[in-house]
Amino acid sequence: MKLFGSRFEQVAAIVQKDFIIGLRRRATFAAMMMFALTAVASLSLSTGGAFIEPKFAAALLWVVIFFAASAGISGTFDDEAQAGTLSTLKLYASAQAILFGKMIYVFLSLVALTIFILPIFLILFDVAVENFPLLALTILLGIIGLAAAGTLTAALMTSATVKGGLFQILLFPITLPIFLPAISLTEISLTGAAFEVSLLVVVAVFDLILITASSILYDYL
């Protein structure tokens, strides 16, 4: 018998549980924020204040987001895996509620990461944003797909004996179809050039595919 009556209540409970644990330990947030800050500062120093092409700056931004996010996402199921409580958790909430609760938690963590790192990135690289609404929408759609793919990949990694950089190796090709148009859209938002709506549609469609695939596959894990 499930502890909560509705799927929404189960999802909300999972999100709340993970945030409480995250705030107590601060490990996930610290790993993401420190990696992002270190990466941006190192890249900025390596350029020596030289002018950065918008396309290159857009690619660097998504590289930082990807690796900083993967530093935190990879441990999404670690608490349950180490304590052996994932099966017990499924007695109180459905598998789908667990998946989407974890996914929403990861998404909100990535939103916090982006809010933290984006201003620092723009200042250190002296990059001007000509179309901020497009940049915000692009990043939002990009991290939705990253959260969906990252949550499923983290679930797959719970039984892996050797993790290392395996998480990033598995996650990168899954999210590549999102990152390529996202980089192009980010470049356009920095330059103010006209853009094709089809690029946004591509990212949104891949987000939907990743969310649907995660929902289907998680039941078999």
Side-chain angles (χ1 to χ4, degrees):
M1 183 177 180
K2 305 303 180 184
L3 179 63
F4 301 103
S6 69
R7 184 69 59 84
F8 176 80
E9 291 174 330
Q10 294 174 10
V11 170
I14 297 297
V15 175
Q16 183 181 18
K17 175 188 73 70
D18 282 355
F19 262 112
I20 291 174
I21 294 174
L23 290 174
R24 285 176 180 173
R25 297 185 179 179
R26 302 181 182 88
T28 300
F29 298 110
M32 292 193 299
M33 303 303 181
M34 289 307 299
F35 182 93
L37 183 60
T38 303
V40 171
S42 299
L43 291 171
S44 176
L45 290 173
S46 66
T47 60
F51 172 74
I52 302 296
E53 293 289 339
K55 187 171 185 177
F56 184 56
L60 282 180
L61 175 61
W62 281 103
V63 167
V64 171
I65 290 175
F66 173 81
F67 283 102
S70 60
I73 297 175
S74 60
T76 302
F77 289 87
D78 278 0
D79 289 327
E80 289 82 2
Q82 293 173 5
T85 57
L86 186 57
S87 298
T88 304
L89 184 61
K90 290 180 179 180
L91 296 176
Y92 293 91
S94 67
Q96 291 297 304
I98 295 172
L99 171 67
F100 283 101
K102 295 283 189 180
M103 194 180 297
I104 292 173
Y105 168 73
V106 168
F107 169 74
L108 294 176
S109 299
L110 295 183
V111 170
L113 168 67
T114 305
I115 293 174
F116 170 76
I117 202 60
L118 183 60
I120 298 175
F121 182 90
L122 296 177
I123 292 172
L124 291 182
F125 284 93
D126 194 21
V127 177
V129 180
E130 299 295 334
N131 190 341
F132 189 80
L134 176 61
L135 177 62
L137 181 58
T138 300
I139 292 177
L140 180 64
L141 291 175
I143 62 178
I144 287 174
L146 182 57
T151 304
L152 179 62
T153 306
L156 291 169
M157 293 290 296
T158 54
S159 59
T161 54
V162 179
K163 296 183 178 181
L166 185 59
F167 180 84
Q168 290 81 1
I169 294 173
L170 293 176
L171 184 61
F172 181 72
I174 299 174
T175 53
L176 188 60
I178 291 177
F179 286 149
L180 292 179
I183 290 173
S184 298
L185 287 167
T186 303
E187 178 190 3
I188 292 171
S189 69
L190 298 180
T191 60
F195 73 97
E196 297 181 4
V197 180
S198 59
L199 290 174
L200 285 172
V201 173
V202 169
V203 180
V205 168
F206 270 103
D207 285 351
L208 183 59
I209 291 173
L210 287 173
I211 293 172
T212 304
S214 298
S215 177
I216 295 172
L217 294 175
Y218 186 73
D219 285 333
Y220 296 96
L221 296 181

